[in-house]
Amino acid sequence: MIGRNKFQYRIATGRITLPAAILLAVIVCLINTKQLTDGITLGVCAVMAYMLIEMNTAFALIRTRTAFPPAMFMLFFAACPFLYSFSTQTWVPLLFLAAIYSLFQSYESRYASTTIFHAFLCMSIGSLFMPHIMYFIPLFYILMGSLRSFNWRTFFAGLMGLCVPYLMLLCYHLYITHTPEVTYAPLVEVIHFMPVDYSALTLSQIISWATITVITAVSSTQSLTHTYQDKVQTRILLRSLIAIGGGILLLTVLQPQHLNALLPILLITGSITSGHLLALTFNRFTRIFLPVVLSLWGLLFLFNLWTHLFNS
């Protein structure tokens, strides 16, 4: 089937895919950049793309050499200029990806307590910037059961990872600023669920969110139907990643004000599942799906660029 899917094969497994994506991402960033701090956001995006490469290398999520996931992540990230605005929440996707990486390392590991501690530590630090990330703690514990790493040691290791940043903040505010009540502010925000309000979202954000959601949903569904040839570990990790992506989508629907922080995490799921699908499956559907994805990216880029320049 590769004979009819030569274009797909060259894009999904070619060595030039990632360098071309990096070049396009840098050009788009230079066009859309308004402040010097936007360069920090591009740096965070580059680190996340590198971590996607490391994830595929460490866990063999895709059983062939491919740079499509980080390339797709950088392209769609670059096509969304509203993601460039630097804020404290810019660090949330990076910390969340680090948490997923550590969580996957716990699969049937003798040292699962250490990796689980690191995973929950990253989640806890991320909650200082966006408290609603704490909603994923129960999901992580559930996924630990699927990853065969849940026991009383890892349970308490996760709790310790959650508590360490807050204990350090408590000590700081208690002895330096003498305002210990500030430490509990993020936890209070988690309890008070904000009303669902889409009025703050721009048309550019809504269209970008819809595009990435459709691509992620289609690639995740199709990828699941073709995992029977993968190892058991790969199937479990991919299903766990898709479950996390579903949770991210649900949280985005319920708390759209956090779209800028949650959309890159959803894009992680879409990048890996689409890479798994397009690098390993060559049929009539994928022959159509890849041009559709590239066309959606082009249209999204042109629309967001026009909106960005028109509103400048």
Side-chain angles (χ1 to χ4, degrees):
M1 295 297 294
I2 295 181
R4 296 184 178 182
N5 297 66
K6 289 184 178 179
F7 176 73
Q8 174 192 337
Y9 181 78
R10 291 175 180 174
I11 294 295
T13 62
R15 296 182 178 181
I16 197 175
T17 302
L18 183 57
I22 294 174
L23 179 61
L24 286 174
V26 172
I27 293 175
V28 172
C29 181
L30 293 176
I31 295 175
N32 293 324
T33 295
K34 291 183 178 181
Q35 300 177 356
L36 292 177
T37 53
D38 294 344
I40 300 177
T41 306
L42 181 62
V44 172
C45 172
V47 173
M48 293 179 65
Y50 175 76
M51 290 182 66
L52 288 177
I53 299 175
E54 289 297 318
M55 282 185 65
N56 187 43
T57 302
F59 308 116
L61 297 176
I62 305 173
R63 58 181 188 276
T64 187
R65 180 184 59 81
T66 178
F68 189 81
M72 179 178 174
F73 177 82
M74 293 202 68
L75 285 176
F76 276 89
F77 191 99
C80 302
F82 55 86
L83 294 179
Y84 297 151
S85 300
F86 179 77
S87 67
T88 55
Q89 291 191 356
T90 301
W91 305 106
V92 173
L94 178 60
L95 291 166
F96 199 96
L97 180 56
I100 295 175
Y101 186 92
S102 297
L103 179 68
F104 284 2
Q105 281 185 316
S106 71
Y107 177 81
E108 292 187 342
S109 173
R110 294 175 54 188
Y111 309 101
S113 298
T114 302
T115 58
I116 291 300
F117 173 82
H118 293 156
F120 282 78
L121 178 64
C122 291
M123 292 290 288
S124 183
I125 297 174
S127 69
L128 299 176
F129 304 125
M130 194 180 80
H132 290 97
I133 285 295
M134 295 289 281
Y135 289 133
F136 286 89
I137 299 303
L139 178 60
F140 269 44
Y141 273 117
I142 294 173
L143 294 179
M144 284 165 57
S146 301
L147 297 171
R148 304 167 189 174
S149 60
F150 184 83
N151 53 55
W152 67 271
R153 292 187 181 87
T154 55
F155 175 79
F156 286 104
L159 290 181
M160 290 177 61
L162 289 174
C163 293
V164 166
Y166 286 92
L167 289 176
M168 295 179 65
L169 276 180
L170 178 61
C171 294
Y172 173 79
H173 290 300
L174 185 63
Y175 293 102
I176 304 298
T177 64
H178 304 289
T179 55
E181 64 277 2
V182 178
T183 307
Y184 312 117
L187 300 179
V188 173
E189 188 173 343
V190 172
I191 298 174
H192 293 84
F193 202 79
M194 299 295 293
V196 179
D197 183 16
Y198 294 95
S199 60
L201 297 181
T202 64
L203 181 61
S204 177
Q205 288 177 305
I206 294 174
I207 292 179
S208 301
W209 179 25
T211 302
I212 293 175
T213 299
V214 170
I215 293 175
T216 301
V218 173
S219 60
S220 297
T221 303
Q222 289 294 320
S223 180
L224 282 177
T225 62
H226 294 86
T227 57
Y228 61 90
Q229 295 181 341
D230 293 314
K231 298 185 298 183
V232 175
Q233 175 183 351
T234 303
R235 294 201 296 268
I236 292 175
L237 295 181
L238 284 175
R239 290 169 184 172
S240 299
L241 181 66
I242 293 173
I244 293 173
I248 290 293
L249 179 59
L250 178 61
L251 181 59
T252 309
V253 171
L254 297 177
Q255 297 288 273
Q257 68 270 17
H258 298 308
L259 176 66
N260 287 7
L262 296 175
L263 190 60
I265 305 176
L266 181 64
L267 184 55
I268 291 171
T269 302
S271 300
I272 294 178
T273 54
S274 61
H276 181 274
L277 175 66
L278 295 172
L280 300 177
T281 306
F282 299 92
N283 54 28
R284 185 177 181 181
F285 175 81
T286 58
R287 189 165 65 249
I288 299 174
F289 181 63
L290 178 58
V292 169
V293 170
L294 296 178
S295 299
L296 287 175
W297 176 84
L299 293 174
L300 181 65
F301 164 66
L302 292 176
F303 173 79
N304 285 339
L305 179 62
W306 176 82
T307 303
H308 172 79
L309 295 177
F310 180 78
N311 293 332
S312 298

